[in-house]
Amino acid sequence: MSVHEAWGLLCRMFVRGAPVLRATMSPRELAASSLLGSAIRPAAINHQNVLCPYCNLHQGEVFGDGCGGKICRCPECGSIPLGSQDVDALVLNEEWLRQKLRMALEINSRDGIDQVGQGIWRLGDSRSTPVILVRNLNDLLRNPGLLEGLRVRDGNLRVITPRPMGQTTHPFAQDIEWLVLEDRFAFYGGAISFIESSDKRSAVLPHETADVRYGPFAVDFRSVVLPGHGHVNLTEAQAAVFSALWSFKGEPMRAERIMAKAGLKSEKPIDVFKVKAKDKDKPGADLPLMSYRELVVTQRREGLYAMPCACL
């Protein structure tokens, strides 16, 4: 059993945010838990319903057996006696996790940990940059303006979250560094270490605000929220096209009028969203085009274009 598997278990327990019954853990998870030491601890659970210890498939209500013991009434197996091991549970010591993450990022010990929302903590400042720990990335994607209130003088942010299933692209504006819990940290010797990245994207790309003002768009139209992908950063030309379409408040318009409003020479709005051949292999290069196709309705025969979200 490797410490890498132990770290994976720890991350899954953080995502869960609740005790895990030993009876539901695989043999490898139980072995991994033995490596985590003080990172996990025994937990009290709701004893009204437990997983049937016989089939491990159904939840059953817990009753006394009249002799000082307890039974689980499984809808499939009937009354099954419960032993102490059947109600034992483990839970992540989340205070331990937050403190170890602070140490890994060399956060000044004078900075306290503040809970700023359900499952959201401000761990302190690392290199003058606020560090935010979030249990669920989707909570931030549903409320993109939340992070703006945590900035210091419009500075950058570092956000630690577990990676949701299927999430492969960077979900935030370019001035927010996403530290994927599973990938950017490691567990060894009872401590957590930070893994530096060679990704220089935040250093070379311009500041983009994550604040949403116009429907799914930022105030300057330089980023847009694409469901399932988070914030997508746009070029000036792409932002100009979206801004022009927004100004028509959902009314269908001919391409030449849209492009004139945007101040561009291209014939059609989609021209500025096409992925260049040299960028086709770059992760996320097709996201602006996906955003365009998601938001813009085209009437090809009439040559009209409209953005329905602008009339909401």
Side-chain angles (χ1 to χ4, degrees):
M1 183 57 55
S2 68
V3 292
H4 178 73
E5 290 175 289
W7 175 244
L9 172 63
L10 187 150
C11 293
R12 293 193 295 274
M13 293 179 75
F14 175 65
V15 172
R16 180 181 177 89
V20 180
L21 280 168
R22 286 182 182 269
T24 66
M25 299 174 70
S26 68
R28 295 192 69 84
E29 287 178 325
L30 289 171
S33 68
S34 66
L35 300 178
L36 292 174
S38 58
I40 58 174
R41 58 191 179 193
I45 62 169
N46 181 353
H47 287 180
Q48 294 179 346
N49 294 274
V50 298
L51 189 68
C52 173
Y54 185 78
C55 67
N56 285 330
L57 294 175
H58 303 283
Q59 292 278 340
E61 290 187 84
V62 176
F63 296 89
D65 63 1
C67 302
K70 294 183 177 180
I71 59 173
C72 166
R73 289 186 179 172
C74 174
E76 189 71 28
C77 309
S79 296
I80 304 298
L82 287 176
S84 59
Q85 72 278 5
D86 299 320
V87 293
D88 284 348
L90 295 175
V91 68
L92 174 65
N93 183 348
E94 295 195 4
E95 179 61 26
W96 176 94
L97 174 64
R98 292 190 286 269
Q99 292 292 348
K100 294 299 183 181
L101 289 173
R102 280 165 52 91
M103 295 176 63
L105 291 172
E106 300 179 353
I107 293 175
N108 193 319
S109 60
R110 291 175 295 180
D111 297 334
I113 298 175
D114 299 315
Q115 184 163 6
V116 296
Q118 184 66 34
I120 305 174
W121 298 266
R122 188 183 189 278
L123 299 183
D125 293 347
S126 173
R127 302 173 186 173
S128 301
T129 299
V131 179
I132 312 301
L133 173 66
V134 182
R135 190 186 310 280
N136 189 335
L137 173 64
N138 291 327
D139 290 342
L140 292 183
L141 298 184
R142 284 191 291 265
N143 187 6
L146 177 65
L147 291 176
E148 293 304 302
L150 301 173
R151 293 183 185 274
V152 177
R153 294 183 299 276
D154 295 325
N156 295 349
L157 284 174
R158 308 179 90 179
V159 177
I160 305 171
T161 74
R163 185 195 300 278
M165 184 176 297
Q167 181 74 36
T168 57
T169 58
H170 192 282
F172 302 117
Q174 295 294 342
D175 61 340
I176 299 178
E177 183 181 5
W178 184 30
L179 304 179
V180 181
L181 185 64
E182 297 91 336
D183 301 342
R184 299 297 302 278
F185 298 89
F187 176 78
Y188 184 75
I192 293 176
S193 59
F194 176 57
I195 302 172
E196 293 285 354
S197 172
S198 58
D199 185 4
K200 304 299 182 183
R201 63 201 302 279
S202 58
V204 300
L205 293 176
H207 174 93
E208 299 289 354
T209 177
D211 192 14
V212 172
R213 297 288 179 85
Y214 301 115
F217 296 100
V219 64
D220 57 0
F221 285 88
R222 286 297 303 274
S223 68
V224 59
V225 175
L226 180 63
H229 297 278
H231 279 273
V232 175
N233 288 283
L234 306 169
T235 65
E236 289 186 11
Q238 292 164 353
V241 169
F242 276 138
S243 179
L245 284 163
W246 184 270
S247 71
F248 296 121
K249 303 185 183 302
E251 289 292 325
M253 290 291 162
R254 299 194 66 82
E256 55 267 25
R257 187 173 178 187
I258 296 169
M259 302 314 287
K261 179 78 173 179
L264 301 172
K265 296 181 180 180
S266 301
E267 293 183 359
K268 298 178 181 179
I270 197 172
D271 291 344
V272 299
F273 292 89
K274 293 178 180 178
V275 182
K276 297 179 181 178
K278 64 182 181 64
D279 296 329
K280 285 187 176 180
D281 295 330
K282 293 182 179 179
D286 61 337
L287 291 179
L289 179 59
M290 290 173 59
S291 302
Y292 175 87
R293 288 173 172 164
E294 178 76 19
L295 296 170
V296 178
V297 174
T298 303
Q299 300 176 42
R300 294 184 179 179
R301 180 172 297 179
E302 296 81 4
L304 299 174
Y305 301 82
M307 192 159 64
C309 67
C311 64
L312 298 179

